[in-house]
Amino acid sequence: DQQVKQNSPSLSVQEGRISILNCDYTNSMFDYFLWYKKYPAEGPTFLISISSIKDKNEDGRFTVFLNKSAKHLSLHIVPSQPGDSAVYFCAASLPSGSARQLTFGSGTQLTVLP
Amino acid sequence: KAGVTQTPRYLIKTRGQQVTLSCSPISGHRSVSWYQQTPGQGLQFLFEYFSETQRNKGNFPGRFSGRQFSNSRSEMNVSTLELGDSALYLCASSLRDSHNSPLHFGNGTRLTVT
């Protein structure tokens, strides 16, 4: 049972345009969401997160939007740069006390074309 | 500040053998988590340690075990290796003792079982 889903395995965007990566979840108990970026042969790098009490969080070129009623979150990258080409994972966390367990989506390969 | 360090980077083992992977968290981080990444299953949670105690365990057989030392360094052990254990094993550390504290990942250990 995939509780966090990234339905687009790949996305290609022109440099300078907006990249929008999507993620859906099924467990309404998730209350904290994160986006990670992963280059080949490296571990995932934390990008940005959002708590379920918010609907938007912004950090430089990266903005995450959360729609709780639709159980959907998205990551916007503006403007996209070739260095943004990587696999992007969304992840979610339950409010289970102090235990930390992230449930990851399957990832979306973003390619930014020069 | 040094990141999460995992050793070794690559390992080749034979079915039936056992293996130990090592992880040094970011200085000051007391929580260490382990994840397995495979092409078919994506990133899956193995276990989490805090102050030398396992606080949470994912849905993996008992052949997978781990421990954390007083200096927060962690090891994970896989006994009686199977071909399906071939994967990238990622360690992550976290600063705050709360479920909404981002995880910072190492570059992983690539285990190949033949």
Side-chain angles (χ1 to χ4, degrees):
Chain A
D1 173 31
Q2 258 192 304
Q3 296 189 63
V4 178
K5 298 179 186 179
Q6 293 176 257
N7 292 318
S8 298
S10 62
L11 173 69
S12 291
V13 170
Q14 210 67 37
E15 181 179 4
R17 307 294 291 267
I18 183 171
S19 294
I20 300 176
L21 298 107
N22 294 303
C23 180
D24 297 297
Y25 61 96
T26 57
N27 190 339
S28 57
M29 296 300 292
F30 287 138
D31 74 339
Y32 185 63
F33 303 89
L34 310 90
W35 283 95
Y36 284 84
K37 175 173 74 172
K38 187 178 185 301
Y39 295 117
E42 293 184 11
T45 301
F46 170 70
L47 274 176
I48 191 169
S49 62
I50 187 167
S51 165
S52 61
I53 63 173
K54 296 186 175 182
D55 54 18
K56 176 183 173 181
N57 189 26
E58 200 170 346
D59 184 1
R61 296 187 298 115
F62 302 92
T63 303
V64 56
F65 295 91
L66 176 62
N67 182 333
K68 287 187 293 293
S69 60
K71 296 192 183 70
H72 177 84
L73 65 154
S74 60
L75 174 68
H76 293 209
I77 306 173
V78 184
S80 301
Q81 300 172 353
D84 296 330
S85 296
V87 178
Y88 288 77
F89 292 95
C90 68
S93 176
L94 291 167
S96 49
S98 59
R100 237 172 318 258
Q101 175 178 343
L102 294 183
T103 301
F104 283 86
S106 54
T108 297
Q109 171 70 57
L110 172 66
T111 302
V112 180
L113 305 168
Chain B
K1 192 182 251 189
V4 177
T5 304
Q6 291 188 247
T7 56
R9 285 298 308 272
Y10 302 94
L11 262 178
I12 300 175
K13 290 285 187 178
T14 305
R15 269 182 304 175
Q17 287 186 313
Q18 74 154 14
V19 67
T20 299
L21 313 181
S22 180
C23 172
S24 292
I26 293 172
S27 178
H29 288 197
R30 294 169 62 194
S31 169
V32 173
S33 302
W34 289 88
Y35 287 78
Q36 181 197 62
Q37 185 182 21
T38 58
Q41 298 295 322
L43 275 150
Q44 292 195 294
F45 171 77
L46 278 158
F47 22 66
E48 186 217 354
Y49 288 89
F50 182 84
S51 292
E52 303 178 64
T53 301
Q54 185 182 93
R55 294 202 296 192
N56 202 2
K57 191 178 193 309
N59 189 24
F60 279 83
R63 300 184 296 107
F64 291 81
S65 63
R67 58 178 175 167
Q68 186 181 32
F69 302 95
S70 58
N71 61 0
S72 295
R73 194 177 67 84
S74 177
E75 289 181 348
M76 69 163 278
N77 185 279
V78 188
S79 62
T80 320
L81 283 166
E82 300 176 0
L83 294 179
D85 297 333
S86 295
L88 179 66
Y89 289 89
L90 292 160
C91 171
S93 71
S94 178
L95 175 61
R96 293 197 316 274
D97 182 20
S98 67
H99 80 285
N100 58 359
S101 177
L103 297 182
H104 300 273
F105 286 86
N107 287 332
T109 294
R110 171 72 63 185
L111 172 65
T112 302
V113 182
T114 62

